[in-house]
Amino acid sequence: MNLSLMKIRSIFPHFNEQRITAEDFWRAARDAELIVRQVPLAVDGFYTIYRGKHVVLLNSRLKSVAWLRAALHEFHHYMFDVPGTDGGYTFYRSGEFTDRREHRAEAFAVVGLMPWPELERLRSADMYISPWLTKLVKERLWVRREFGL
C-alpha cells in the first residue's frame, strides 16, 4: 500500500470499501481542525490557508451528492497539497482540470462516493434509470484505469 493510501485510510478507514458519508467528512474535518464554511461561490469549492488556519469553502447552492463530492475533493487538497500553515495557497476548480493535483483530488472524491465493491454490485438497469449514476460509473472506471483503485 502506498503512503498516500495509508494516510487516507488513517482518516477514512473504509476507503474504497464503503462510501464516505457526509458524517464521515464532518468527523474528519472536526478531527483535523479544518474550518469548513458554506457560502455562495462561483465554483463548487476551494481550499486555502487563511491566517494560519486551513479553510474549505463550499458552494452553499450544492446539495446532497454534489456537495459531498466537492467537500471530499477539497479535503484531499487539505491532506496532500499544501503542507504547514503558510498562506498564499488556494486551490479551486472551474471547469477543465489542467493540474495533476486536481485529477488526484477528483479521483479521491469519486472513490469516496463509489467504492469498488459498490460498483461491482451495480446492474445495468441501475444506470439506465439514472444518467447521473452512469456518469459516476464512467468516472469511477477512469479512476481504476488511471490510479489502480
Side-chain angles (χ1 to χ4, degrees):
M1 181 181 333
N2 71 35
L3 294 175
S4 297
L5 195 52
M6 288 174 60
K7 183 171 183 175
I8 291 169
R9 288 211 172 125
S10 74
I11 298 168
F12 300 102
H14 302 292
F15 180 72
N16 201 25
E17 296 168 4
Q18 299 173 6
R19 279 186 199 173
I20 296 174
T21 65
E23 291 78 21
D24 296 329
F25 167 78
W26 284 114
R27 176 197 44 79
R30 183 193 68 232
D31 291 351
E33 298 181 6
L34 178 65
I35 298 167
V36 180
R37 298 288 183 260
Q38 299 176 78
V39 295
L41 296 170
V43 295
D44 290 350
F46 69 88
Y47 165 70
T48 191
I49 297 174
Y50 179 72
R51 295 186 179 174
K53 303 286 185 183
H54 296 271
V55 178
V56 166
L57 296 180
L58 297 168
N59 190 331
S60 59
R61 291 182 283 275
L62 295 176
K63 303 295 178 224
S64 179
V65 177
W67 180 91
L68 182 56
R69 183 177 184 148
L72 293 174
H73 178 107
E74 300 308 331
F75 195 89
H76 186 276
H77 286 309
Y78 159 74
M79 287 191 295
F80 294 107
D81 294 332
V82 183
T85 56
D86 296 337
Y89 295 97
T90 300
F91 287 92
Y92 65 92
R93 62 182 177 153
S94 59
E96 195 68 27
F97 297 138
T98 56
D99 187 318
R100 190 76 178 148
R101 292 172 294 194
E102 291 297 322
H103 287 283
R104 289 190 304 265
E106 196 60 16
F108 169 74
V110 168
V111 173
L113 294 175
M114 181 168 285
W116 193 253
E118 191 167 313
L119 179 72
E120 289 178 323
R121 287 191 295 271
L122 283 177
R123 300 172 311 211
S124 58
D126 296 328
M127 290 180 284
Y128 179 75
I129 294 169
S130 171
W132 175 87
L133 183 59
T134 301
K135 182 176 185 280
L136 184 61
V137 166
K138 287 178 182 177
E139 292 168 334
R140 184 61 182 89
L141 293 172
W142 168 80
V143 170
R144 181 70 164 210
R145 202 172 43 255
E146 290 294 312
F147 297 95
L149 282 174

